[in-house]
Amino acid sequence: MRSFLHKAKDAIHETLHDHSTPTQHTVQRQQVPMTSQDPNYCALPSAPTSNDVFRYRYQHGTNLGSIFVLEKWLSGSMFPSNATAQQSSELEAVKASVSAIGLNATRAKWEQHWQSAISDSDFSWLVNSASCTSIRLPVGYFTLGPHFCKSTPFEPYASVYTNAWSIVKSIVSSCHSHGIGVLLDLHALPGGANTGDHSGTNSGIAALWGNQANLDLATKCLAYMAQEIRNVPLDGVIGLQICNEAEYNAPGMYSWYDTVIAQTCSIDPSIPLYISDSWDLSQCISYTLGKNSSNSAAAATNPVIIDTHYYWAFSDANKAMSPQQIIADVSNKMTELDGKDGSIVDRGAVQVVVGEYSCVMDGSSWSKAGGGDRGELVKQFGNAQSNRWQQRAGGSFFWTYKMDWMPGGDWGFVQQCTPNTTPPPPPSPSPAVYPPWNLTLSPSDVSSRVSTAQSQQDNSRVVAVQQHTDYWNQTAPGQNFGHWRFEAGWKLGFSDAISFFSARSNSLLGPLLAGGDKIGCLEVWIHKRLGETGQVGDFLWEWEQGFRRGVSDFYGLAGV
């Protein structure tokens, strides 16, 4: 961990890089605002709620998979035995089933599939074996019920979905009771956000974009979901994903995002909104920084989080790589964030979550393994991804948890979270995909670490404030600052880190659970907390630096 002095020097280097006249920037920050608004005002926000912890902790989880949006390769049992490769979507499955057994029997079959998606034994494994904090739950617009099927290809089969949304809400409630959050992912949108069969049909066309009727219906679907999250309420919903895997360079996508975000903000501005990066993370980062701006002149919005997906099995470039090259390539992902996060006052907040990844490589890659042990290479691949996502993202969701062919091979969360002990075992029988180790701590260990950190809190704060003050006195002697903001930020950051870390052992999330949560979505959390303090003026950057230092000091003292 770099010292605070290094962080402060890095901030100066960023300032010099971002501004052609660094002296002017320095003067701007050194001026104490003299306005009718008290420059010394700083509200003390309430302690994080259970929903705050659910939404902003590091998300270690899995996709629930082909449940409400069927895919033949995962749930072949829901398709007729003679279904072709061109009959692999939800629409084709329900159409064939209704033709074969009728609407009522199909509805019963579909409801059984939904209701059996996650059982008590599943919850036990997810919580106790995989240390999951959350699941990503793909749904379709048709999942919301018959009203949303009107004038769509699903209208003839609308009654099949009469109880679908109620079952979704039941799953969310069950997850919440086990301390698991749910990312509601509108996976299949009207017309399709991409050409894949996981958009609900086999049309092969991304007909959402440029079609106003489809866009309007999608917007209505998301408004309905936001209202349900707020009004039911659906506790434990960590966010609403407004689009899955948007087609690359989808026309009008960001304009539509603007519309949906503005509408959701008018319903419930607290819900984090996840947006697809449309396979262009750099452009999406620029958009998100503008949305999550600390500029008081910027319109308030919901927290906006980027959903990005990483696979190494489909492109020609990936197929040309060996397994060893693919494993090495993992560390290159999300470098687009470099220089864009870490200072929300200067740039805005950007947060990326990996919504899908797997341990799958194409056969062309395996043919280049050079005699390397496949089991060990898969484990190394999963380890590299787990490490990178925990280092650079706000969370990650493996694709996927459920399929007909459990435990799922390189696509299976169960198999990749299970240590490989089958002969011949790899050199170290450990899982490919692993949680942050702090999620495996016992409740007593969590409490002990919190007590240790609290016993050193005052001394740690004094040292941090002194270092900050001394540095800026030496860097800009005689200039006026707002160093009290640094201390206020430090106190809140330290306190928030404790609240997240002890939430499980204090039963804030429901049942007493092992593990201590860290603030994984730190960028958007800082953005939220800064807004709650109601501060104004030129010295917000000092509060932000103090908050970040308080969080990191707690983790250092707690040994996590």
Side-chain angles (χ1 to χ4, degrees):
M1 182 181 296
R2 296 183 300 174
S3 69
F4 172 71
L5 293 181
H6 287 164
K7 288 184 179 180
K9 289 178 181 177
D10 285 346
I12 292 176
H13 290 318
E14 290 172 4
T15 297
L16 293 174
H17 176 74
D18 293 341
H19 299 270
S20 59
T21 54
T23 302
Q24 293 176 2
H25 184 75
T26 302
V27 170
Q28 179 185 2
R29 278 191 165 176
Q30 292 166 356
Q31 292 175 340
V32 178
M34 301 299 292
T35 69
S36 59
Q37 292 177 291
D38 184 355
N40 294 324
Y41 177 78
C42 180
L44 180 61
S46 301
T49 65
S50 61
N51 254 354
D52 287 334
V53 178
F54 271 108
R55 289 173 172 178
Y56 292 95
R57 62 184 173 178
Y58 182 85
Q59 306 296 348
H60 174 67
T62 181
N63 286 269
L64 196 50
S66 176
I67 304 300
F68 292 97
V69 183
L70 292 176
E71 297 181 56
K72 182 174 179 289
W73 71 284
L74 292 171
S75 302
S77 60
M78 298 296 288
F79 291 77
S81 58
N82 61 348
T84 68
Q86 288 71 43
Q87 296 172 308
S88 56
S89 65
E90 172 82 24
L91 179 62
E92 295 303 319
V94 72
K95 183 188 301 184
S97 181
V98 169
S99 176
I101 62 177
L103 275 168
N104 290 337
T106 296
R107 174 174 160 181
K109 180 179 180 179
W110 257 237
E111 289 183 0
Q112 173 61 26
H113 180 67
W114 301 330
Q115 290 169 337
S116 62
I118 187 164
S119 64
D120 287 342
S121 61
D122 288 319
F123 282 122
S124 178
W125 184 86
L126 288 167
V127 172
N128 299 315
S129 296
S131 299
C132 275
T133 67
S134 48
I135 63 169
R136 182 171 179 257
L137 182 59
V139 300
Y141 68 91
F142 38 84
T143 310
L144 303 181
H147 175 73
F148 294 94
C149 296
K150 292 179 181 178
S151 302
T152 79
F154 283 88
E155 184 170 12
Y157 320 104
S159 64
V160 172
Y161 301 96
T162 299
N163 295 321
W165 181 244
S166 294
I167 296 172
V168 169
K169 291 190 288 186
S170 177
I171 289 174
V172 172
S173 178
S174 295
C175 285
H176 182 256
S177 69
H178 288 84
I180 295 176
V182 176
L183 173 57
L184 287 175
D185 161 34
L186 190 56
H187 206 77
L189 291 95
N194 56 64
T195 61
D197 54 10
H198 50 82
S199 280
T201 77
N202 286 106
S203 70
I205 302 172
L208 172 69
W209 313 112
N211 184 308
Q212 197 57 51
N214 285 336
L215 289 169
D216 288 346
L217 178 56
T219 304
K220 290 177 182 176
C221 289
L222 291 160
Y224 177 75
M225 294 171 75
Q227 288 165 351
E228 288 282 279
I229 293 169
R230 181 196 66 184
N231 294 335
V232 170
L234 292 181
D235 290 330
V237 170
I238 67 173
L240 175 59
Q241 180 157 350
I242 66 181
C243 181
N244 170 68
E245 288 191 354
E247 183 181 45
Y248 178 73
N249 201 25
M253 181 183 73
Y254 286 108
S255 177
W256 181 66
Y257 283 173
D258 286 341
T259 298
V260 173
I261 292 169
Q263 177 181 261
T264 307
C265 186
S266 69
I267 297 169
D268 183 350
S270 73
I271 304 171
L273 296 179
Y274 286 63
I275 60 173
S276 168
D277 67 355
S278 187
W279 307 103
D280 187 343
L281 183 55
S282 292
Q283 184 179 10
C284 201
I285 286 173
S286 297
Y287 172 82
T288 304
L289 286 170
K291 284 298 180 184
N292 297 328
S293 173
S294 64
N295 182 353
S296 59
T301 69
N302 297 70
V304 178
I305 297 173
I306 298 172
D307 168 62
T308 194
H309 297 174
Y310 290 112
Y311 290 115
W312 280 264
F314 302 115
S315 73
D316 290 339
N318 289 152
K319 293 176 183 179
M321 300 168 71
S322 69
Q324 293 86 347
Q325 289 173 320
I326 288 174
I327 293 166
D329 188 50
V330 172
S331 62
N332 297 323
K333 300 308 176 184
M334 287 183 285
T335 54
E336 296 93 337
L337 285 169
D338 295 348
K340 299 296 176 63
D341 59 354
S343 181
I344 66 168
V345 171
D346 286 338
R347 294 185 287 266
V350 58
Q351 196 78 62
V352 174
V353 166
V354 180
E356 294 182 20
Y357 71 103
S358 75
C359 287
V360 175
M361 301 185 219
D362 186 74
S364 298
S365 293
W366 284 117
S367 69
K368 304 175 182 67
D373 180 82
R374 178 162 178 157
E376 178 64 15
L377 288 170
V378 168
K379 190 194 76 171
Q380 291 176 14
F381 186 30
N383 287 178
Q385 292 185 84
S386 296
N387 180 65
R388 184 57 176 171
W389 311 154
Q390 292 168 29
Q391 175 193 67
R392 209 67 185 91
S396 60
F397 298 88
F398 193 90
W399 187 275
T400 188
Y401 181 47
K402 286 296 185 77
M403 63 275 288
D404 285 353
W405 33 284
M406 295 288 285
D410 296 347
W411 286 107
F413 187 61
V414 171
Q415 184 158 330
Q416 297 311 313
C417 289
T418 304
N420 185 351
T421 57
T422 57
S428 54
S430 56
V433 173
Y434 58 83
W437 75 275
N438 48 281
L439 295 182
T440 67
L441 299 173
S442 68
S444 61
D445 195 358
V446 169
S447 298
S448 175
R449 289 171 185 271
V450 170
S451 296
T452 296
Q454 287 177 321
S455 70
Q456 304 174 63
Q457 178 177 353
D458 289 344
N459 181 66
S460 180
R461 185 189 72 253
V462 169
V463 169
V465 172
Q466 192 63 52
Q467 287 179 344
H468 176 81
T469 302
D470 289 348
Y471 177 78
W472 286 108
N473 285 345
Q474 294 170 11
T475 301
Q479 299 297 323
N480 291 321
F481 288 96
H483 294 326
W484 66 269
R485 294 187 193 270
F486 179 90
E487 184 168 10
W490 190 98
K491 289 179 179 178
L492 187 60
F494 196 93
S495 175
D496 281 359
I498 290 177
S499 294
F500 274 73
F501 190 67
S502 60
R504 294 164 177 254
S505 59
N506 290 340
S507 298
L508 179 65
L509 307 185
L512 177 66
L513 298 169
D517 285 300
K518 296 178 75 172
I519 309 173
C521 293
L522 183 62
E523 300 301 311
V524 285
W525 178 250
I526 293 175
H527 181 258
K528 179 178 186 291
R529 295 304 252 177
L530 178 58
E532 291 170 348
T533 66
Q535 295 178 84
V536 296
D538 294 331
F539 295 99
L540 301 184
W541 60 275
E542 291 204 70
W543 183 93
E544 181 183 353
Q545 287 188 0
F547 189 99
R548 292 181 186 275
R549 176 67 184 268
V551 171
S552 64
D553 279 355
F554 169 76
Y555 293 148
L557 294 174
V560 294

PDB file of all heavy atoms in Angstrom, residues 315-333:
ATOM      1  N   SER A 315     -13.529 -14.777 -29.994  1.00  0.00           N
ATOM      2  CA  SER A 315     -12.915 -13.999 -31.077  1.00  0.00           C
ATOM      3  C   SER A 315     -11.759 -14.764 -31.711  1.00  0.00           C
ATOM      4  O   SER A 315     -11.119 -15.619 -31.087  1.00  0.00           O
ATOM      5  CB  SER A 315     -12.416 -12.653 -30.550  1.00  0.00           C
ATOM      6  OG  SER A 315     -11.260 -12.826 -29.757  1.00  0.00           O
ATOM      7  N   ASP A 316     -11.493 -14.445 -32.968  1.00  0.00           N
ATOM      8  CA  ASP A 316     -10.366 -15.078 -33.658  1.00  0.00           C
ATOM      9  C   ASP A 316      -9.050 -14.752 -32.949  1.00  0.00           C
ATOM     10  O   ASP A 316      -8.147 -15.605 -32.882  1.00  0.00           O
ATOM     11  CB  ASP A 316     -10.307 -14.596 -35.111  1.00  0.00           C
ATOM     12  CG  ASP A 316     -11.459 -15.133 -35.950  1.00  0.00           C
ATOM     13  OD1 ASP A 316     -12.064 -16.153 -35.551  1.00  0.00           O
ATOM     14  OD2 ASP A 316     -11.749 -14.537 -37.009  1.00  0.00           O
ATOM     15  N   ALA A 317      -8.941 -13.556 -32.423  1.00  0.00           N
ATOM     16  CA  ALA A 317      -7.712 -13.164 -31.730  1.00  0.00           C
ATOM     17  C   ALA A 317      -7.497 -14.027 -30.494  1.00  0.00           C
ATOM     18  O   ALA A 317      -6.362 -14.457 -30.205  1.00  0.00           O
ATOM     19  CB  ALA A 317      -7.775 -11.690 -31.341  1.00  0.00           C
ATOM     20  N   ASN A 318      -8.565 -14.309 -29.756  1.00  0.00           N
ATOM     21  CA  ASN A 318      -8.430 -15.153 -28.567  1.00  0.00           C
ATOM     22  C   ASN A 318      -8.150 -16.602 -28.938  1.00  0.00           C
ATOM     23  O   ASN A 318      -7.364 -17.286 -28.273  1.00  0.00           O
ATOM     24  CB  ASN A 318      -9.702 -15.077 -27.728  1.00  0.00           C
ATOM     25  CG  ASN A 318      -9.884 -13.740 -27.035  1.00  0.00           C
ATOM     26  OD1 ASN A 318     -10.994 -13.323 -26.763  1.00  0.00           O
ATOM     27  ND2 ASN A 318      -8.793 -13.034 -26.760  1.00  0.00           N
ATOM     28  N   LYS A 319      -8.782 -17.079 -30.000  1.00  0.00           N
ATOM     29  CA  LYS A 319      -8.560 -18.459 -30.427  1.00  0.00           C
ATOM     30  C   LYS A 319      -7.120 -18.688 -30.888  1.00  0.00           C
ATOM     31  O   LYS A 319      -6.624 -19.811 -30.848  1.00  0.00           O
ATOM     32  CB  LYS A 319      -9.530 -18.821 -31.552  1.00  0.00           C
ATOM     33  CG  LYS A 319     -10.989 -18.881 -31.112  1.00  0.00           C
ATOM     34  CD  LYS A 319     -11.921 -19.140 -32.300  1.00  0.00           C
ATOM     35  CE  LYS A 319     -13.374 -19.137 -31.864  1.00  0.00           C
ATOM     36  NZ  LYS A 319     -14.312 -19.352 -32.986  1.00  0.00           N
ATOM     37  N   ALA A 320      -6.473 -17.617 -31.298  1.00  0.00           N
ATOM     38  CA  ALA A 320      -5.076 -17.723 -31.746  1.00  0.00           C
ATOM     39  C   ALA A 320      -4.097 -17.753 -30.580  1.00  0.00           C
ATOM     40  O   ALA A 320      -2.905 -18.001 -30.780  1.00  0.00           O
ATOM     41  CB  ALA A 320      -4.734 -16.553 -32.669  1.00  0.00           C
ATOM     42  N   MET A 321      -4.592 -17.521 -29.365  1.00  0.00           N
ATOM     43  CA  MET A 321      -3.737 -17.482 -28.189  1.00  0.00           C
ATOM     44  C   MET A 321      -3.685 -18.843 -27.514  1.00  0.00           C
ATOM     45  O   MET A 321      -4.645 -19.615 -27.543  1.00  0.00           O
ATOM     46  CB  MET A 321      -4.254 -16.433 -27.193  1.00  0.00           C
ATOM     47  CG  MET A 321      -4.304 -15.009 -27.736  1.00  0.00           C
ATOM     48  SD  MET A 321      -5.226 -13.866 -26.667  1.00  0.00           S
ATOM     49  CE  MET A 321      -4.102 -13.713 -25.286  1.00  0.00           C
ATOM     50  N   SER A 322      -2.573 -19.142 -26.886  1.00  0.00           N
ATOM     51  CA  SER A 322      -2.445 -20.350 -26.080  1.00  0.00           C
ATOM     52  C   SER A 322      -3.081 -20.096 -24.713  1.00  0.00           C
ATOM     53  O   SER A 322      -3.299 -18.939 -24.317  1.00  0.00           O
ATOM     54  CB  SER A 322      -0.974 -20.706 -25.884  1.00  0.00           C
ATOM     55  OG  SER A 322      -0.330 -19.740 -25.051  1.00  0.00           O
ATOM     56  N   PRO A 323      -3.368 -21.158 -23.951  1.00  0.00           N
ATOM     57  CA  PRO A 323      -3.901 -20.942 -22.603  1.00  0.00           C
ATOM     58  C   PRO A 323      -2.985 -20.069 -21.751  1.00  0.00           C
ATOM     59  O   PRO A 323      -3.457 -19.212 -20.992  1.00  0.00           O
ATOM     60  CB  PRO A 323      -4.013 -22.365 -22.047  1.00  0.00           C
ATOM     61  CG  PRO A 323      -4.240 -23.218 -23.249  1.00  0.00           C
ATOM     62  CD  PRO A 323      -3.393 -22.595 -24.319  1.00  0.00           C
ATOM     63  N   GLN A 324      -1.684 -20.290 -21.883  1.00  0.00           N
ATOM     64  CA  GLN A 324      -0.736 -19.500 -21.092  1.00  0.00           C
ATOM     65  C   GLN A 324      -0.803 -18.020 -21.475  1.00  0.00           C
ATOM     66  O   GLN A 324      -0.715 -17.137 -20.600  1.00  0.00           O
ATOM     67  CB  GLN A 324       0.684 -20.039 -21.297  1.00  0.00           C
ATOM     68  CG  GLN A 324       0.911 -21.433 -20.727  1.00  0.00           C
ATOM     69  CD  GLN A 324       0.511 -22.572 -21.679  1.00  0.00           C
ATOM     70  OE1 GLN A 324      -0.158 -22.333 -22.695  1.00  0.00           O
ATOM     71  NE2 GLN A 324       0.928 -23.791 -21.358  1.00  0.00           N
ATOM     72  N   GLN A 325      -0.975 -17.733 -22.756  1.00  0.00           N
ATOM     73  CA  GLN A 325      -1.085 -16.341 -23.200  1.00  0.00           C
ATOM     74  C   GLN A 325      -2.383 -15.705 -22.712  1.00  0.00           C
ATOM     75  O   GLN A 325      -2.409 -14.532 -22.333  1.00  0.00           O
ATOM     76  CB  GLN A 325      -1.000 -16.280 -24.731  1.00  0.00           C
ATOM     77  CG  GLN A 325       0.376 -16.568 -25.293  1.00  0.00           C
ATOM     78  CD  GLN A 325       0.369 -16.656 -26.812  1.00  0.00           C
ATOM     79  OE1 GLN A 325      -0.557 -17.224 -27.407  1.00  0.00           O
ATOM     80  NE2 GLN A 325       1.386 -16.100 -27.449  1.00  0.00           N
ATOM     81  N   ILE A 326      -3.451 -16.485 -22.723  1.00  0.00           N
ATOM     82  CA  ILE A 326      -4.737 -15.978 -22.235  1.00  0.00           C
ATOM     83  C   ILE A 326      -4.653 -15.646 -20.750  1.00  0.00           C
ATOM     84  O   ILE A 326      -5.111 -14.590 -20.291  1.00  0.00           O
ATOM     85  CB  ILE A 326      -5.860 -16.997 -22.510  1.00  0.00           C
ATOM     86  CG1 ILE A 326      -6.182 -17.020 -24.009  1.00  0.00           C
ATOM     87  CG2 ILE A 326      -7.109 -16.679 -21.691  1.00  0.00           C
ATOM     88  CD1 ILE A 326      -7.175 -18.090 -24.418  1.00  0.00           C
ATOM     89  N   ILE A 327      -4.048 -16.549 -19.978  1.00  0.00           N
ATOM     90  CA  ILE A 327      -3.897 -16.305 -18.540  1.00  0.00           C
ATOM     91  C   ILE A 327      -3.105 -15.025 -18.299  1.00  0.00           C
ATOM     92  O   ILE A 327      -3.472 -14.201 -17.446  1.00  0.00           O
ATOM     93  CB  ILE A 327      -3.207 -17.514 -17.872  1.00  0.00           C
ATOM     94  CG1 ILE A 327      -4.142 -18.737 -17.928  1.00  0.00           C
ATOM     95  CG2 ILE A 327      -2.813 -17.195 -16.434  1.00  0.00           C
ATOM     96  CD1 ILE A 327      -3.461 -20.054 -17.607  1.00  0.00           C
ATOM     97  N   ALA A 328      -2.058 -14.815 -19.070  1.00  0.00           N
ATOM     98  CA  ALA A 328      -1.257 -13.596 -18.918  1.00  0.00           C
ATOM     99  C   ALA A 328      -2.035 -12.355 -19.333  1.00  0.00           C
ATOM    100  O   ALA A 328      -1.801 -11.258 -18.814  1.00  0.00           O
ATOM    101  CB  ALA A 328       0.024 -13.716 -19.746  1.00  0.00           C
ATOM    102  N   ASP A 329      -2.971 -12.530 -20.266  1.00  0.00           N
ATOM    103  CA  ASP A 329      -3.732 -11.384 -20.787  1.00  0.00           C
ATOM    104  C   ASP A 329      -4.742 -10.839 -19.786  1.00  0.00           C
ATOM    105  O   ASP A 329      -5.171  -9.691 -19.894  1.00  0.00           O
ATOM    106  CB  ASP A 329      -4.457 -11.795 -22.074  1.00  0.00           C
ATOM    107  CG  ASP A 329      -5.120 -10.631 -22.784  1.00  0.00           C
ATOM    108  OD1 ASP A 329      -4.448  -9.596 -22.998  1.00  0.00           O
ATOM    109  OD2 ASP A 329      -6.310 -10.738 -23.120  1.00  0.00           O
ATOM    110  N   VAL A 330      -5.114 -11.645 -18.803  1.00  0.00           N
ATOM    111  CA  VAL A 330      -6.128 -11.215 -17.838  1.00  0.00           C
ATOM    112  C   VAL A 330      -5.717  -9.921 -17.143  1.00  0.00           C
ATOM    113  O   VAL A 330      -6.531  -9.025 -16.919  1.00  0.00           O
ATOM    114  CB  VAL A 330      -6.390 -12.327 -16.805  1.00  0.00           C
ATOM    115  CG1 VAL A 330      -7.303 -11.821 -15.692  1.00  0.00           C
ATOM    116  CG2 VAL A 330      -7.006 -13.556 -17.470  1.00  0.00           C
ATOM    117  N   SER A 331      -4.445  -9.809 -16.813  1.00  0.00           N
ATOM    118  CA  SER A 331      -3.983  -8.620 -16.075  1.00  0.00           C
ATOM    119  C   SER A 331      -4.047  -7.348 -16.909  1.00  0.00           C
ATOM    120  O   SER A 331      -3.893  -6.242 -16.370  1.00  0.00           O
ATOM    121  CB  SER A 331      -2.546  -8.837 -15.580  1.00  0.00           C
ATOM    122  OG  SER A 331      -1.658  -9.014 -16.675  1.00  0.00           O
ATOM    123  N   ASN A 332      -4.295  -7.470 -18.221  1.00  0.00           N
ATOM    124  CA  ASN A 332      -4.404  -6.291 -19.081  1.00  0.00           C
ATOM    125  C   ASN A 332      -5.816  -5.701 -19.085  1.00  0.00           C
ATOM    126  O   ASN A 332      -6.021  -4.616 -19.660  1.00  0.00           O
ATOM    127  CB  ASN A 332      -4.030  -6.659 -20.528  1.00  0.00           C
ATOM    128  CG  ASN A 332      -2.591  -7.109 -20.656  1.00  0.00           C
ATOM    129  OD1 ASN A 332      -1.709  -6.585 -19.985  1.00  0.00           O
ATOM    130  ND2 ASN A 332      -2.343  -8.098 -21.517  1.00  0.00           N
ATOM    131  N   LYS A 333      -6.751  -6.386 -18.469  1.00  0.00           N
ATOM    132  CA  LYS A 333      -8.136  -5.935 -18.539  1.00  0.00           C
ATOM    133  C   LYS A 333      -8.411  -4.806 -17.546  1.00  0.00           C
ATOM    134  O   LYS A 333      -7.847  -4.757 -16.469  1.00  0.00           O
ATOM    135  CB  LYS A 333      -9.096  -7.101 -18.296  1.00  0.00           C
ATOM    136  CG  LYS A 333      -8.943  -8.220 -19.317  1.00  0.00           C
ATOM    137  CD  LYS A 333      -9.024  -7.697 -20.758  1.00  0.00           C
ATOM    138  CE  LYS A 333      -8.787  -8.759 -21.794  1.00  0.00           C
ATOM    139  NZ  LYS A 333      -8.766  -8.229 -23.176  1.00  0.00           N
TER     140      LYS A 333
END
